[in-house]
Amino acid sequence: MIITRQLDDQPSLPTTFVNAFTVAYSNAKSTCRSQYQQPQPQQPTTSFSATMGAQNIPAVSERVMLGNQIAENGPRILICPSGFKESLGPNEVADCIEAGVLRAVPTAKVMKAPMVDGGEGFTEALVATTGGQRRFLEVTGPVRETVPSHYGFLGNTLTPTAVVEMAAAAGLSIVPRDQRNPLYTTTFGVGQLIKAALDDGAMNILLGCGDSGTCDGGIGMAQALGARFFTTKGTEIPPAQGGASLTDLAAVDLSGLHPRLQECSIDVACNWHNVLCGPKGVARVFGPQKGATPTEVELLDMAMIRVGTVVSDAIGKDITYAPGSGASGGMGAGLQLIGAQLHPRFDIITKFLNINSLVKDCDVVITAEGGIDEQTPRGKIPAEVARIAKSRGVPVIALAGTVGKGASCNYEAGIDAYASILQAPVTLQVAIEEAERLLTDAAESVTRMVMVGCSLKRFRAPSPLPPTGPAMAFKRSRTFYY
């Protein structure tokens, strides 16, 4: 029997003592063993160089050759990015990543599937994918000034199907920086887009929620379609006044809604994880990102509670904590008021972009978004792409403008590695202006690392040798035979 007790925390003994003890101990052990055991055949000695050779470790030149061989075969890389807010759209991000990949591996087989999460680019992406058309018009913007906008019609459907993105009329990118206050921004223009699509003969409407600069619960949108809202005193709330006007909301009159809403279905692609009220409510989670101070966040949260109560009473279903009700500053709540159906945005997107078939034909997926943080697994594009890729065993790398708090939780969401495109501390303005170069360089860098990883998988590195010498052996453990 062998009993070993670790002594790593014990102080080293003098070398002279250890050497003397080792010789005496070895002689005693040999004598004791010879009485009970048959002599063991002596093992042939093997030099360190011979041991290394026996493991068939490729030389450096061979490793380089293996890497070149992989490059010649051309890795299949699928690029599925979202856009970088106020900087690059999904198509531009995909182009930059492709350029970086091909700079590193010219023989790579690149497939691009720019992703839209219901925000900016939603209409353009779906219309382009289906061969449809866009329609252009002017609407009331988020700060009540006229802005150019658009909606579209899909090109591959028997039933006229329109596409509307709320960001085209109430997105954060069209809110001037010095006017970013969700207490006063409105979704009225979104209602005008829906009205235009209805008047244009749409029988189905796909509406994308994302990248909003508002927090009015979709009340402005509903007002543009004919709904009227009242305070506890019975006073009608004026149209397009923003979240600040809703802290005393008490009732709604839907009798004046656009008549075609009854014959047109509206399917909403939204962030399924966003709820209207509570600690994780839309005002508390996203209000600060849209310019709200802590005091204003409390007012907005109060307004969303009012919206939740009124909408729930009107449709006969409690939506205050329902999935998607808080999407895009509470737009999910207002949309249910006009009869819309909410869906996880990726379910609608993948239906038209056919991501599943692309993932199964690639070796690695590269996704991207403006920021990777603890919110990413809550319905953001990189996490949704990773979910599909992981179901097929395909590794996923995410690039981001910034890596924020709690980003490591994305490993559990299926993202195998992530990296910021920033090479040094810079101002936001510089990051936006240099986004194309930074993203292309980052894509090249991660692609080169992927190729190094492919090369390393072709050989097995030797295990580190254990410490040698009687003094070190004695320090590590003391072994008794009996």
Side-chain angles (χ1 to χ4, degrees):
M1 181 181 294
I2 302 176
I3 302 176
T4 302
R5 181 160 59 94
Q6 296 297 325
L7 298 175
D8 287 338
D9 57 343
Q10 300 299 319
S12 301
L13 295 174
T15 303
T16 304
F17 172 81
V18 172
N19 289 339
F21 176 87
T22 302
V23 172
Y25 176 69
S26 297
N27 292 337
K29 181 177 69 173
S30 299
T31 302
C32 181
R33 276 192 164 180
S34 64
Q35 299 178 19
Y36 300 100
Q37 298 179 353
Q38 295 295 325
Q40 298 296 318
Q42 185 176 2
Q43 298 296 325
T45 58
T46 306
S47 67
F48 176 72
S49 59
T51 302
M52 290 292 290
Q55 296 187 41
N56 297 318
I57 307 301
V60 173
S61 59
E62 291 176 299
R63 299 179 199 175
V64 173
M65 185 172 63
L66 285 171
N68 291 338
Q69 182 180 355
I70 296 171
E72 290 172 3
N73 292 337
R76 299 168 301 173
I77 298 177
L78 175 61
I79 301 172
C80 287
S82 180
F84 283 23
K85 288 183 181 179
E86 302 183 72
S87 179
L88 301 173
N91 290 297
E92 295 171 302
V93 172
D95 290 343
C96 289
I97 295 176
E98 179 186 32
V101 167
L102 294 178
R103 190 191 295 172
V105 187
T107 56
K109 298 175 177 63
V110 176
M111 298 174 286
K112 293 186 294 182
M115 303 302 295
V116 287
D117 59 1
E120 294 179 4
F122 181 75
T123 299
E124 181 181 3
L126 293 187
V127 167
T129 300
T130 61
Q133 293 182 338
R134 280 198 294 168
R135 313 286 170 85
F136 299 89
L137 71 165
E138 291 186 338
V139 299
T140 300
V143 293
R144 292 175 291 282
E145 294 180 353
T146 301
V147 297
S149 190
H150 62 271
Y151 64 98
F153 276 87
L154 300 183
N156 62 350
T157 58
L158 297 177
T159 303
T161 301
V163 186
V164 173
E165 66 183 61
M166 71 93 58
L172 183 63
S173 65
I174 57 177
V175 181
R177 288 189 175 276
D178 60 351
Q179 298 183 56
R180 290 187 175 179
N181 189 332
L183 279 174
Y184 306 110
T185 50
T186 179
T187 58
F188 193 85
V190 181
Q192 292 176 310
L193 290 178
I194 295 173
K195 181 179 183 299
L198 292 171
D199 293 342
D200 215 1
M203 296 301 297
N204 301 315
I205 295 177
L206 298 179
L207 197 150
C209 283
D211 298 333
S212 70
T214 58
C215 192
D216 72 349
I219 299 304
M221 173 274 304
Q223 287 175 319
L225 290 167
R228 300 171 65 196
F229 297 88
F230 302 88
T231 67
T232 54
K233 297 179 180 179
T235 305
E236 183 173 359
I237 297 174
Q241 296 303 301
S245 66
L246 306 175
T247 56
D248 197 29
L249 176 65
V252 59
D253 176 7
L254 301 176
S255 61
L257 280 178
H258 195 296
R260 290 216 56 244
L261 284 171
Q262 296 182 359
E263 57 190 55
C264 178
S265 64
I266 301 178
D267 293 295
V268 182
C270 66
N271 191 331
W272 200 242
H273 298 277
N274 290 350
V275 297
L276 190 64
C277 305
K280 297 293 185 180
V282 62
R284 298 189 183 281
V285 175
F286 296 104
Q289 297 180 15
K290 300 174 183 180
T293 65
T295 300
E296 291 168 343
V297 166
E298 295 301 322
L299 290 174
L300 288 170
D301 189 56
M302 184 187 306
M304 293 305 100
I305 292 173
R306 290 283 189 171
V307 170
T309 300
V310 169
V311 173
S312 297
D313 290 344
I315 68 175
K317 180 178 68 173
D318 186 3
I319 57 94
T320 52
Y321 298 98
S325 61
S328 294
M331 173 71 84
L335 286 167
Q336 291 178 82
L337 193 61
I338 64 170
Q341 298 295 316
L342 308 186
H343 307 275
R345 55 191 175 189
F346 219 68
D347 289 356
I348 289 181
I349 294 166
T350 53
K351 177 180 178 181
F352 291 95
L353 299 183
N354 201 21
I355 298 302
N356 287 286
S357 63
L358 294 175
V359 167
K360 72 178 182 180
D361 293 327
C362 71
D363 299 312
V364 64
V365 174
I366 300 179
T367 183
E369 192 163 66
I372 298 288
D373 55 26
E374 61 188 359
Q375 293 294 326
T376 302
R378 297 173 59 85
K380 299 291 187 179
I381 288 293
E384 293 297 328
V385 168
R387 176 174 59 84
I388 292 177
K390 283 304 165 186
S391 69
R392 297 185 176 275
V394 179
V396 178
I397 298 171
L399 296 175
T402 59
V403 175
K405 178 182 177 182
S408 60
C409 68
N410 288 283
Y411 295 135
E412 296 181 5
I415 296 175
D416 296 286
Y418 57 80
S420 171
I421 67 172
L422 299 180
Q423 301 168 347
V426 296
T427 64
L428 176 61
Q429 188 60 36
V430 171
I432 291 174
E433 292 173 355
E434 297 289 322
E436 289 189 20
R437 178 186 64 80
L438 293 170
L439 182 56
T440 302
D441 290 348
E444 177 186 3
S445 178
V446 299
T447 303
R448 290 185 181 278
M449 285 189 279
V450 167
M451 299 310 294
V452 169
C454 291
S455 178
L456 289 173
K457 289 181 67 176
R458 298 301 183 93
F459 69 91
R460 182 178 178 182
S463 300
L465 293 177
T468 58
M472 184 61 71
F474 184 85
K475 182 179 179 181
R476 289 204 329 273
S477 65
R478 181 182 295 155
T479 304
F480 300 93
Y481 296 82
Y482 69 95

